[in-house]
Amino acid sequence: MGLIFLANLGLTWLLLMSQGCRTGSRITVAVIPQTEGVNFWDTVHVGADIAAHESGASIYWNAPMREDDVEAQIALVESVINRRVNALVLAPDHPLALVSPVERALAHGIPTAIIGSALSIAPSPNLANVLNDDEESGRMAAARASALLHGKGTIAIIGMNPDLSGTMVRAHSLEQELSRTAPGITIVDRRIGSYNVPREEQVVEEILHAHPNVDLIVALMWDSADGAIRALDSMKDRPSVKLIAFDSYNSPPFDQCPYLDSVIQEDIRGMAKRAVEIVIAKEQHQNTPSEVKFTPRLITRENVGSPEIRQMFSTELPASNWHWSSIR
């Protein structure tokens, strides 16, 4: 963990200590995504702030500098637990490493909502999961693949990341649905994914070398899709392969990527808003659901400009008499 991060964490601690868990009578909700400075996670900030504004609460926002900096995220969770914020919303970087910190938050009576990837934690009255429907994501990818290939062809699956349980659920659902509805489609390669885009680029180059006639690549996480795009861009004799991607960090770059067919996008902004609403309700001892699943959206060239899709990527707050509630 770098000195800059530790210094920022120390400053954040002092700010929390000086301002307390509440601003006047306001509830303070800590929101800790996987990282910041990326449009995808910035939309989480917007969704959280909208919910807080509507409820008269305050948001404390902080995040690691990288999506794979698990130790930094653990330190952030521990810091807000020690300060005893009123509630916590977390998008965990790792399915195992964040279990103990979240269990500690629950033991301290802090209402907690998990977004993005569920953790293997026993049910608790103070715990909620607000998640993407990853099984539906896999089925949507299978339906799109079958339509593109007219029920026949070859697919390579990349971006299967055991640290992101949702990607594994997507892969399983995709394969099950293809087996059921499109037995003429063969999966010729499966690869583990990472946040390392150059590595993902190399993986795709290896796949195309081993299977030069592969018809379709399905990238279950955006860093893998980014690697595939770079690999295809670098090829002089670009193959006719198509790409189905998941969870674009920004509005999908269809204009720059003729081989990008579609993106299956989780509504992380909507999940963040709902998660903040739930933990505020829990803090006020109201009945809340233990799990909420959001249906993903299939984004194509035809609908990418629609108001609904634009809102998913928007980092602008609604035009109103807005008062920022973040502590930072």
Side-chain angles (χ1 to χ4, degrees):
M1 210 180 305
L3 293 176
I4 293 176
F5 171 78
L6 290 174
N8 288 338
L9 183 57
L11 177 59
T12 298
W13 180 279
L14 289 174
L15 286 169
L16 277 172
M17 289 293 289
S18 65
Q19 298 192 29
C21 287
R22 295 177 184 263
T23 304
S25 61
R26 285 188 178 185
I27 294 171
T28 295
V29 180
V31 181
I32 303 176
Q34 291 182 2
T35 190
E36 62 181 344
V38 176
N39 190 85
F40 183 81
W41 295 112
D42 287 344
T43 63
V44 169
H45 199 172
V46 172
D49 269 315
I50 291 171
H53 175 69
E54 292 174 350
S55 303
S58 297
I59 293 297
Y60 162 64
W61 167 273
N62 209 341
M65 298 301 292
R66 304 189 318 273
E67 286 175 305
D68 59 351
D69 195 346
V70 179
E71 290 185 4
Q73 192 176 54
I74 291 172
L76 288 171
V77 174
E78 294 288 350
S79 73
V80 299
I81 293 171
N82 292 336
R83 182 67 189 106
R84 295 297 298 272
V85 296
N86 302 105
L88 170 65
V89 172
L90 173 70
D93 278 334
H94 195 280
L96 296 178
L98 272 298
V99 167
S100 291
V102 170
E103 288 179 334
R104 184 168 175 241
L106 295 172
H108 280 75
I110 299 175
T112 301
I114 304 299
I115 61 173
S117 295
L119 300 177
S120 297
I121 297 178
S124 165
N126 269 339
L127 177 66
N129 290 301
V130 184
L131 309 172
N132 179 65
D133 189 339
D134 289 307
E135 290 187 353
E136 179 61 19
S137 292
R139 290 190 288 267
M140 289 173 68
R144 186 69 178 183
S146 181
L148 278 173
L149 303 182
H150 305 289
K152 285 186 176 182
T154 54
I155 292 179
I157 301 174
I158 62 176
M160 300 169 62
N161 188 338
D163 290 341
L164 296 173
S165 59
T167 64
M168 307 306 290
V169 174
R170 293 169 183 178
H172 181 69
S173 177
L174 166 64
E175 294 198 38
Q176 275 197 327
E177 189 70 6
L178 285 177
S179 176
R180 186 180 71 85
T181 63
I185 294 177
T186 303
I187 298 171
V188 296
D189 212 332
R190 301 170 181 83
R191 297 295 183 100
I192 298 297
S194 72
Y195 294 118
N196 188 328
V197 175
R199 179 190 176 280
E200 299 303 282
E201 180 179 357
Q202 182 179 351
V203 164
V204 173
E205 290 172 351
E206 292 172 358
I207 290 174
L208 294 175
H209 178 74
H211 308 282
N213 295 318
V214 67
D215 297 304
L216 177 66
I217 295 173
V218 179
L220 301 172
M221 53 187 292
W222 185 254
D223 291 291
S224 300
D226 195 359
I229 290 169
R230 295 187 186 195
L232 292 167
D233 280 342
S234 67
M235 298 180 70
K236 292 181 179 179
D237 298 321
R238 188 175 298 165
S240 58
V241 63
K242 292 291 185 181
L243 174 65
I244 295 175
F246 281 75
D247 300 333
S248 177
Y249 287 159
N250 296 284
S251 184
F254 291 118
D255 292 343
Q256 292 78 34
C257 306
Y259 32 81
L260 178 61
D261 169 77
S262 53
V263 175
I264 297 168
Q265 190 77 21
E266 63 180 49
D267 184 8
I268 196 71
R269 171 174 157 157
M271 283 187 269
K273 182 177 184 293
R274 186 72 181 105
V276 170
E277 292 169 348
I278 287 174
V279 294
I280 290 174
K282 284 183 178 294
E283 206 274 343
Q284 296 171 339
H285 308 292
Q286 300 175 19
N287 290 328
T288 59
S290 60
E291 182 174 277
V292 177
K293 285 192 176 181
F294 276 63
T295 302
R297 293 291 302 270
L298 176 69
I299 304 177
T300 65
R301 284 174 169 78
E302 290 71 34
N303 69 1
V304 68
S306 68
E308 295 80 10
I309 300 301
R310 289 203 306 269
Q311 180 173 291
M312 293 179 73
F313 295 97
S314 175
T315 57
E316 295 182 3
L317 293 166
S320 63
N321 293 324
W322 189 266
H323 299 286
W324 282 94
S325 58
S326 297
I327 292 176
R328 292 188 68 180

